[in-house]
PDB file of all heavy atoms in Angstrom:
ATOM      1  N   ILE B 136      38.815 -30.857   8.959  1.00  0.00           N
ATOM      2  CA  ILE B 136      39.972 -31.439   9.706  1.00  0.00           C
ATOM      3  C   ILE B 136      40.057 -30.773  11.033  1.00  0.00           C
ATOM      4  O   ILE B 136      40.054 -29.466  11.048  1.00  0.00           O
ATOM      5  CB  ILE B 136      41.201 -31.203   8.791  1.00  0.00           C
ATOM      6  CG1 ILE B 136      41.131 -32.090   7.544  1.00  0.00           C
ATOM      7  CG2 ILE B 136      42.494 -31.457   9.629  1.00  0.00           C
ATOM      8  CD1 ILE B 136      42.128 -31.878   6.470  1.00  0.00           C
ATOM      9  N   GLN B 137      40.219 -31.454  12.053  1.00  0.00           N
ATOM     10  CA  GLN B 137      40.253 -30.906  13.397  1.00  0.00           C
ATOM     11  C   GLN B 137      41.491 -29.880  13.443  1.00  0.00           C
ATOM     12  O   GLN B 137      42.522 -30.182  12.826  1.00  0.00           O
ATOM     13  CB  GLN B 137      40.416 -32.016  14.407  1.00  0.00           C
ATOM     14  CG  GLN B 137      39.198 -32.933  14.526  1.00  0.00           C
ATOM     15  CD  GLN B 137      38.090 -32.154  14.992  1.00  0.00           C
ATOM     16  OE1 GLN B 137      38.141 -31.308  15.789  1.00  0.00           O
ATOM     17  NE2 GLN B 137      36.808 -32.367  14.433  1.00  0.00           N
ATOM     18  N   GLY B 138      41.326 -28.855  14.232  1.00  0.00           N
ATOM     19  CA  GLY B 138      42.462 -27.921  14.356  1.00  0.00           C
ATOM     20  C   GLY B 138      42.389 -26.818  13.311  1.00  0.00           C
ATOM     21  O   GLY B 138      43.199 -25.850  13.393  1.00  0.00           O
ATOM     22  N   THR B 139      41.511 -26.906  12.318  1.00  0.00           N
ATOM     23  CA  THR B 139      41.378 -25.800  11.385  1.00  0.00           C
ATOM     24  C   THR B 139      39.963 -25.159  11.711  1.00  0.00           C
ATOM     25  O   THR B 139      39.118 -25.838  12.322  1.00  0.00           O
ATOM     26  CB  THR B 139      41.393 -26.246   9.961  1.00  0.00           C
ATOM     27  OG1 THR B 139      40.279 -27.096   9.664  1.00  0.00           O
ATOM     28  CG2 THR B 139      42.699 -26.969   9.668  1.00  0.00           C
ATOM     29  N   PRO B 140      39.745 -23.894  11.289  1.00  0.00           N
ATOM     30  CA  PRO B 140      38.552 -23.108  11.739  1.00  0.00           C
ATOM     31  C   PRO B 140      37.222 -23.817  11.549  1.00  0.00           C
ATOM     32  O   PRO B 140      36.321 -23.682  12.404  1.00  0.00           O
ATOM     33  CB  PRO B 140      38.664 -21.847  10.952  1.00  0.00           C
ATOM     34  CG  PRO B 140      40.060 -21.694  10.673  1.00  0.00           C
ATOM     35  CD  PRO B 140      40.664 -23.059  10.483  1.00  0.00           C
ATOM     36  N   PRO B 141      36.956 -24.558  10.349  1.00  0.00           N
ATOM     37  CA  PRO B 141      35.538 -24.975  10.214  1.00  0.00           C
ATOM     38  C   PRO B 141      35.128 -25.976  11.162  1.00  0.00           C
ATOM     39  O   PRO B 141      35.977 -26.788  11.734  1.00  0.00           O
ATOM     40  CB  PRO B 141      35.597 -25.610   8.805  1.00  0.00           C
ATOM     41  CG  PRO B 141      36.847 -25.149   8.112  1.00  0.00           C
ATOM     42  CD  PRO B 141      37.806 -24.777   9.238  1.00  0.00           C
ATOM     43  N   THR B 142      33.787 -25.999  11.524  1.00  0.00           N
ATOM     44  CA  THR B 142      33.344 -26.889  12.583  1.00  0.00           C
ATOM     45  C   THR B 142      32.496 -27.968  12.035  1.00  0.00           C
ATOM     46  O   THR B 142      31.975 -28.816  12.827  1.00  0.00           O
ATOM     47  CB  THR B 142      32.531 -26.042  13.620  1.00  0.00           C
ATOM     48  OG1 THR B 142      31.585 -25.329  12.972  1.00  0.00           O
ATOM     49  CG2 THR B 142      33.478 -25.163  14.416  1.00  0.00           C
ATOM     50  N   ARG B 143      32.107 -27.973  10.787  1.00  0.00           N
ATOM     51  CA  ARG B 143      31.302 -29.052  10.253  1.00  0.00           C
ATOM     52  C   ARG B 143      31.671 -29.322   8.816  1.00  0.00           C
ATOM     53  O   ARG B 143      32.313 -28.453   8.146  1.00  0.00           O
ATOM     54  CB  ARG B 143      29.807 -28.747  10.375  1.00  0.00           C
ATOM     55  CG  ARG B 143      29.325 -27.501   9.644  1.00  0.00           C
ATOM     56  CD  ARG B 143      27.782 -27.319   9.786  1.00  0.00           C
ATOM     57  NE  ARG B 143      27.370 -26.083   9.199  1.00  0.00           N
ATOM     58  CZ  ARG B 143      27.115 -25.917   7.923  1.00  0.00           C
ATOM     59  NH1 ARG B 143      27.232 -26.983   7.160  1.00  0.00           N
ATOM     60  NH2 ARG B 143      26.787 -24.806   7.407  1.00  0.00           N
ATOM     61  N   PRO B 144      31.359 -30.472   8.329  1.00  0.00           N
ATOM     62  CA  PRO B 144      31.808 -30.853   6.941  1.00  0.00           C
ATOM     63  C   PRO B 144      31.127 -29.949   5.885  1.00  0.00           C
ATOM     64  O   PRO B 144      30.174 -29.345   6.170  1.00  0.00           O
ATOM     65  CB  PRO B 144      31.296 -32.246   6.823  1.00  0.00           C
ATOM     66  CG  PRO B 144      30.830 -32.788   8.086  1.00  0.00           C
ATOM     67  CD  PRO B 144      30.560 -31.578   8.919  1.00  0.00           C
ATOM     68  N   LEU B 145      31.764 -29.996   4.758  1.00  0.00           N
ATOM     69  CA  LEU B 145      31.203 -29.293   3.506  1.00  0.00           C
ATOM     70  C   LEU B 145      29.832 -29.818   3.198  1.00  0.00           C
ATOM     71  O   LEU B 145      29.582 -31.029   3.433  1.00  0.00           O
ATOM     72  CB  LEU B 145      32.121 -29.447   2.334  1.00  0.00           C
ATOM     73  CG  LEU B 145      33.453 -28.729   2.318  1.00  0.00           C
ATOM     74  CD1 LEU B 145      34.262 -29.168   1.144  1.00  0.00           C
ATOM     75  CD2 LEU B 145      33.243 -27.213   2.367  1.00  0.00           C
ATOM     76  N   ASP B 146      28.954 -28.930   2.713  1.00  0.00           N
ATOM     77  CA  ASP B 146      27.595 -29.382   2.394  1.00  0.00           C
ATOM     78  C   ASP B 146      27.741 -30.234   1.111  1.00  0.00           C
ATOM     79  O   ASP B 146      28.625 -30.030   0.254  1.00  0.00           O
ATOM     80  CB  ASP B 146      26.703 -28.244   2.052  1.00  0.00           C
ATOM     81  CG  ASP B 146      26.438 -27.447   3.292  1.00  0.00           C
ATOM     82  OD1 ASP B 146      26.611 -27.872   4.424  1.00  0.00           O
ATOM     83  OD2 ASP B 146      26.002 -26.229   3.155  1.00  0.00           O
ATOM     84  N   VAL B 147      26.755 -31.172   0.908  1.00  0.00           N
ATOM     85  CA  VAL B 147      26.769 -31.972  -0.346  1.00  0.00           C
ATOM     86  C   VAL B 147      25.575 -31.601  -1.216  1.00  0.00           C
ATOM     87  O   VAL B 147      24.546 -31.218  -0.565  1.00  0.00           O
ATOM     88  CB  VAL B 147      26.673 -33.461  -0.115  1.00  0.00           C
ATOM     89  CG1 VAL B 147      28.026 -33.949   0.462  1.00  0.00           C
ATOM     90  CG2 VAL B 147      25.530 -33.815   0.821  1.00  0.00           C
ATOM     91  N   TYR B 148      25.695 -31.642  -2.501  1.00  0.00           N
ATOM     92  CA  TYR B 148      24.551 -31.550  -3.335  1.00  0.00           C
ATOM     93  C   TYR B 148      23.716 -32.759  -3.459  1.00  0.00           C
ATOM     94  O   TYR B 148      24.273 -33.862  -3.316  1.00  0.00           O
ATOM     95  CB  TYR B 148      24.984 -31.185  -4.753  1.00  0.00           C
ATOM     96  CG  TYR B 148      25.347 -29.680  -4.973  1.00  0.00           C
ATOM     97  CD1 TYR B 148      26.716 -29.325  -4.906  1.00  0.00           C
ATOM     98  CD2 TYR B 148      24.490 -28.735  -5.156  1.00  0.00           C
ATOM     99  CE1 TYR B 148      27.181 -27.996  -5.094  1.00  0.00           C
ATOM    100  CE2 TYR B 148      24.888 -27.409  -5.374  1.00  0.00           C
ATOM    101  CZ  TYR B 148      26.171 -27.064  -5.335  1.00  0.00           C
ATOM    102  OH  TYR B 148      26.558 -25.737  -5.473  1.00  0.00           O
ATOM    103  N   GLU B 149      22.474 -32.650  -3.601  1.00  0.00           N
ATOM    104  CA  GLU B 149      21.669 -33.876  -3.929  1.00  0.00           C
ATOM    105  C   GLU B 149      21.991 -34.307  -5.303  1.00  0.00           C
ATOM    106  O   GLU B 149      22.028 -33.438  -6.217  1.00  0.00           O
ATOM    107  CB  GLU B 149      20.186 -33.499  -3.826  1.00  0.00           C
ATOM    108  CG  GLU B 149      19.692 -33.242  -2.436  1.00  0.00           C
ATOM    109  CD  GLU B 149      18.211 -32.843  -2.319  1.00  0.00           C
ATOM    110  OE1 GLU B 149      17.937 -31.864  -3.093  1.00  0.00           O
ATOM    111  OE2 GLU B 149      17.450 -33.484  -1.679  1.00  0.00           O
ATOM    112  N   VAL B 150      22.249 -35.533  -5.505  1.00  0.00           N
ATOM    113  CA  VAL B 150      22.732 -36.088  -6.872  1.00  0.00           C
ATOM    114  C   VAL B 150      21.684 -37.026  -7.381  1.00  0.00           C
ATOM    115  O   VAL B 150      21.062 -37.843  -6.626  1.00  0.00           O
ATOM    116  CB  VAL B 150      24.059 -36.775  -6.599  1.00  0.00           C
ATOM    117  CG1 VAL B 150      24.532 -37.339  -7.974  1.00  0.00           C
ATOM    118  CG2 VAL B 150      25.131 -35.796  -6.059  1.00  0.00           C
ATOM    119  N   GLN B 151      21.439 -36.898  -8.642  1.00  0.00           N
ATOM    120  CA  GLN B 151      20.649 -37.890  -9.416  1.00  0.00           C
ATOM    121  C   GLN B 151      21.407 -38.250 -10.680  1.00  0.00           C
ATOM    122  O   GLN B 151      21.860 -37.383 -11.333  1.00  0.00           O
ATOM    123  CB  GLN B 151      19.279 -37.231  -9.861  1.00  0.00           C
ATOM    124  CG  GLN B 151      18.163 -37.497  -8.745  1.00  0.00           C
ATOM    125  CD  GLN B 151      16.926 -36.913  -9.290  1.00  0.00           C
ATOM    126  OE1 GLN B 151      16.798 -36.416 -10.473  1.00  0.00           O
ATOM    127  NE2 GLN B 151      15.817 -36.976  -8.489  1.00  0.00           N
ATOM    128  N   VAL B 152      21.485 -39.551 -10.915  1.00  0.00           N
ATOM    129  CA  VAL B 152      22.168 -39.994 -12.126  1.00  0.00           C
ATOM    130  C   VAL B 152      21.130 -40.641 -12.963  1.00  0.00           C
ATOM    131  O   VAL B 152      20.481 -41.604 -12.518  1.00  0.00           O
ATOM    132  CB  VAL B 152      23.346 -40.985 -11.825  1.00  0.00           C
ATOM    133  CG1 VAL B 152      24.043 -41.464 -13.032  1.00  0.00           C
ATOM    134  CG2 VAL B 152      24.322 -40.317 -10.808  1.00  0.00           C
ATOM    135  N   GLU B 153      20.984 -40.174 -14.226  1.00  0.00           N
ATOM    136  CA  GLU B 153      20.041 -40.771 -15.097  1.00  0.00           C
ATOM    137  C   GLU B 153      20.822 -41.082 -16.417  1.00  0.00           C
ATOM    138  O   GLU B 153      21.238 -40.192 -17.161  1.00  0.00           O
ATOM    139  CB  GLU B 153      18.886 -39.793 -15.476  1.00  0.00           C
ATOM    140  CG  GLU B 153      17.824 -39.815 -14.438  1.00  0.00           C
ATOM    141  CD  GLU B 153      16.744 -38.745 -14.593  1.00  0.00           C
ATOM    142  OE1 GLU B 153      16.484 -38.444 -15.808  1.00  0.00           O
ATOM    143  OE2 GLU B 153      16.271 -38.232 -13.568  1.00  0.00           O
ATOM    144  N   GLY B 154      20.926 -42.373 -16.676  1.00  0.00           N
ATOM    145  CA  GLY B 154      21.721 -42.760 -17.802  1.00  0.00           C
ATOM    146  C   GLY B 154      23.152 -42.320 -17.648  1.00  0.00           C
ATOM    147  O   GLY B 154      23.783 -42.642 -16.578  1.00  0.00           O
TER     148      GLY B 154
END
Side-chain angles (χ1 to χ4, degrees):
Chain B
I136 292 171
Q137 293 299 321
T139 65
T142 52
R143 60 181 175 82
L145 289 173
D146 295 342
V147 289
Y148 282 100
E149 291 176 304
V150 179
Q151 266 181 8
V152 182
E153 278 172 31

